[in-house]
Amino acid sequence: MRQVEAYSRLAGVYDEIVIDPCHDRWASFLHELWNADPEGVRSVLDLCCGTGLLAGELIARDYQVVGVDASEAMLALARERLGPDAALSRTTLPDLTIDGVFDAAVCTFDGFNYLTPDELSLTMAAVADRLRPAGWLVFDLHTDAMMDFTIDNAVVAGEQAGNDFVISSVVDPGARTCDTKVELTRLRDGDPFCERHRQYFHADMDVRAALQAGGFAVTAVSEEYTHRPVDASTLRATWTARRLTA
């Protein structure tokens, strides 16, 4: 089976295999959150925007969205979804070579889990440079509960939309890394392929330190785009932070 670059071939089946129908709900949470800001939120930087699912929901709510992603294949699908005039750019964090100042930035579906701890700190500082004072940064991260869940469910196989897949993960709890092999053993269209991905389970104290060093104040850590506080069973935590004004 041919191994290919991460998110090159997977992009074509990503929305079918990886994504659940959550973006309307997540965008509604963000809209409610930002509506409470007396300064208003209109411009949003969508980090690791993928195929543009969240960007589409935010645009439908009248936000001006600029999306960035490291995968050209994912961006190509985002352009198909959002139209040729969509503001999309290929960018690999922590480099953020994008112009403009935004009211808010978001990073969903564990995009920041792909960053090393050092890259996470550099990314926080880069994002702060692109936000207005008191601008919003909302992102989600996999938790220690997700690390334990992945250890207990090291191999996941299934079929979705005519595609057979096997996802195998090896977690190193000491290094807090997860190396995942995604195999598409039979595709509805195209030849089988394999992609390898590495993610990092960032400790809460390290995330808080990176945010503080980058010039942010944490305002909430909640259960996946809700106002429920995290607990020991939370698999995906949503972090809400504001850029400090001074």
Side-chain angles (χ1 to χ4, degrees):
M1 183 179 299
R2 187 164 68 95
Q3 183 169 320
V4 297
E5 181 183 355
Y7 288 114
S8 56
R9 291 287 309 281
L10 185 61
V13 294
Y14 182 78
D15 293 349
E16 299 170 348
I17 291 177
V18 179
I19 298 297
D20 56 27
C22 60
H23 289 88
D24 175 69
R25 184 174 72 253
W26 290 6
S28 293
F29 169 85
L30 294 169
H31 185 60
E32 176 191 354
L33 187 71
W34 295 335
N35 265 349
D37 186 345
E39 294 188 47
V41 173
R42 292 265 50 88
S43 58
V44 181
L45 178 60
D46 187 0
L47 303 161
C48 308
C49 66
T51 63
L53 287 166
L54 181 69
E57 294 289 348
L58 293 176
I59 290 169
R61 290 164 173 80
D62 294 326
Y63 291 98
Q64 300 167 359
V65 181
V66 172
V68 299
D69 199 277
S71 168
E72 186 56 52
M74 298 285 266
L75 289 171
L77 291 170
R79 291 188 187 97
E80 290 181 12
R81 170 171 281 116
L82 304 176
D85 296 330
L88 300 169
S89 176
R90 186 173 186 180
T91 297
T92 301
L93 299 175
D95 295 330
L96 195 52
T97 55
I98 192 95
D99 294 328
V101 174
F102 299 84
D103 298 314
V106 296
C107 185
T108 57
F109 259 109
D110 54 273
F112 282 169
N113 282 112
Y114 279 87
L115 303 174
T116 69
D118 286 344
E119 289 171 340
L120 183 66
S121 294
L122 292 170
T123 295
M124 296 305 185
V127 174
D129 285 342
R130 300 268 60 84
L131 291 177
R132 63 161 168 84
W136 299 79
L137 172 58
V138 185
F139 60 95
D140 62 67
L141 288 172
H142 286 162
T143 64
D144 283 8
M146 179 64 88
M147 179 163 61
D148 294 338
F149 178 85
T150 305
I151 292 170
D152 293 339
N153 299 271
V155 179
V156 177
E159 183 274 336
Q160 193 74 10
N163 304 296
D164 293 345
F165 62 90
V166 179
I167 302 174
S168 309
S169 299
V170 177
V171 174
D172 182 336
R176 303 185 68 89
T177 57
C178 179
D179 291 299
T180 300
K181 180 170 66 173
V182 182
E183 297 175 277
L184 270 293
T185 57
R186 183 178 65 85
L187 276 76
R188 184 181 64 248
D189 298 304
D191 297 325
F193 66 89
C194 169
E195 290 187 5
R196 295 183 183 272
H197 299 247
R198 166 164 280 203
Q199 291 185 295
Y200 299 81
F201 292 101
H202 299 296
D204 282 9
M205 61 181 295
D206 295 334
V207 179
R208 291 181 182 276
L211 284 165
Q212 183 178 16
F216 287 99
V218 177
T219 61
V221 184
S222 61
E223 175 88 24
E224 191 178 300
Y225 299 96
T226 69
H227 296 291
R228 298 190 301 271
V230 296
D231 60 28
S233 67
T234 299
L235 299 179
R236 175 180 282 125
T238 299
W239 291 72
T240 303
R242 306 288 299 273
R243 185 194 161 193
L244 297 173
T245 58

